[in-house]
Amino acid sequence: MSASTGKHVTVIPGDGIGPEVVKAALRVVEAAGIKLQIDECEAGARVFAKGNATGVPQETIDSVTRTGVLLKGPLETPIGYGAKSANVTLRKLFETFGNIRPVRTLPGVKTPYSDRNLDIVIVRENVEDLYSGVEHMQTPGVAQCLKLISRNGCEKIVRLAFEFAVAEGRGVVHCATKANIMKLTEGMLQHAFEDIAPEYPKIQAKHILVDNCAHQLAMRPEQFDVIVTTNMNGDILSDLTSGLTGGLGFAPSANIGSRVAIFEAVHGSAPDIAGQNIANPTAIIFSAAMMLRHIGEPQAASAIEHAVVCTFEQGVHTRDMLGTGTPTSTTGFADEVIANLGKRCIHVAEREHGHFKVPPLVESVERVEPKSRRVVGADVFVESLLMPGELGRKVEGLVADSSLKLAGIANRGTAVYPEVEAKVGLVDHYRCRFVSRAGGKDVDDAQLLDLLQRLTTELRWMHVEKLQEFDGEEAFSKSAGQA
Ligand code: NAP
């Protein structure tokens, strides 16, 4: 294989097993004849420890901005308190909105699904949803996380999924959502999918509820080809699909944006096995192959994929795989892959890998313009220890001569006032819904400010949400149990 001229890429070795597996992948890339000009940068645990709350230093941001390509080891995220995930920061900073996570049945990698010939790609929205990271403690005992989904974000991920399917000669795209429950957020992805699918008439487009998708993946995974889904659904489903094909040690991923692409294994830093030279480097080697395809080195990418599969065909296995004989080390596995470069595997069929179009980043503020819009009321969230009946009567009294009237009260989404027969578990977090007393009238900000002033005399409110109508459609959900 001939050596090519160096392409610039940023490399973050990462935490835990990261440095070991990234080093193995870079050795394989070099042995495949690709000379990369590597900008080695830091992010993750060591950076958090130095007091940088983002876990991503400016030099790393500058490098990725320059090169546009990042090969990244896993980064540890301090759980629970304060600091944000450095992974999420990198994905969001560079607007890598699409996370492509392919898995395939691999020879010699034993799972209950080894004979199913699986070849599934999860296309996960990567920057919105619950991972927007907008969280508040609304009362000392009740937390809220905003699930932000935009029409533009949905259109981009759906287009990416269809473009990817076309480029790889795939036949079916499923869209997995929880639109039956979250009609506005998850439903937005379903609507975008149904609107865009006709532009790709050669591809079968199917919507599936995400819980059924998980069930079907366990029962009959071979029916799936490409699955496009929201961020958290995709996070979970892609760990599931990697489990079907051998585990986290085998699953690569590409975070795709219009200017930057980040390639990494799906797995994390696996601190329990770090520093022992026993981690499986397959996932990051496959991720590096995806990176090579992205930077215009498709032959080297293919050669590496064939060499990895040949290695499995020869029965070589790391500790996380079932197999006979002594498992090989991280470095030993990379040595075997390097020795197999140039060989063609027999068990995994070649797949097309055409260039796929990535929806561009629009520089202006994206917006859906309704023909008509109006405010029809407001939800005011209050912290209270009163029982629903007492709270309802108190609120009715406070707004008795106001232009807005109380339409109902809900507790964690269930209607509790006017009082209901059913016994509902209550917390100190009520949603009071107000609409115009005159009926069907628009509500203005002066009315809402007057409402808050009245409530604040005797109640503690912590959150207000306008109730809007766009194009005559209610742009808010009802409570469970509300007519
Ligand atoms: P994890 O690091 O993926 O590890 C879970 C388990 O999977 C490990 O304990 C190990 O199991 C096995 N495993 C994972 N990768 C392996 C490999 N290459 N070879 C062999 N076995 C492998 O998940 P976690 O323990 O939940 O997360 C640890 C840290 O990683 C956390 O700080 C988390 O935030 C971070 N994380 C980072 C990323 C990322 O950078 N993209 C992704 C996920 C998690 P055994 O016990 O069987 O050895």
Side-chain angles (χ1 to χ4, degrees), residues 10 29 66 83 88 147 173 175 190 194 196 251 277 304 325 330 346 354 397 408:
T10 306
V29 168
R66 239 180 357 258
V88 175
K147 182 173 168 79
V173 177
C175 174
Q190 182 184 1
E194 288 166 355
I196 290 169
N277 196 24
I304 290 172
T330 310
I346 44 177

Side-chain angles (χ1 to χ4, degrees), residues 14-15 17 21 72-79 85-88 91 99 101 124 235 239 247-250 253 255 264-273 278-284 318-321 330:
D15 300 320
I17 58 171
V21 293
K72 185 181 91 50
L75 304 179
E76 262 167 39
T77 308
I79 294 177
S85 155
N87 295 305
V88 175
R91 288 171 199 163
N99 190 330
R101 297 184 158 191
R124 163 189 172 192
D235 197 357
D239 267 31
L248 286 170
F250 301 88
S253 81
N255 300 279
E264 61 180 334
V266 170
H267 64 71
S269 60
D272 54 329
I273 55 168
I278 56 174
N280 182 351
T282 303
I284 190 79
T318 44
R319 194 205 57 132
D320 54 319
M321 295 165 63
T330 310

Side-chain angles (χ1 to χ4, degrees), residues 45-61:
R46 258 173 300 161
V47 180
F48 284 119
K50 285 183 202 162
N52 180 326
T54 66
V56 186
Q58 189 58 43
E59 308 85 79
T60 302
I61 297 170

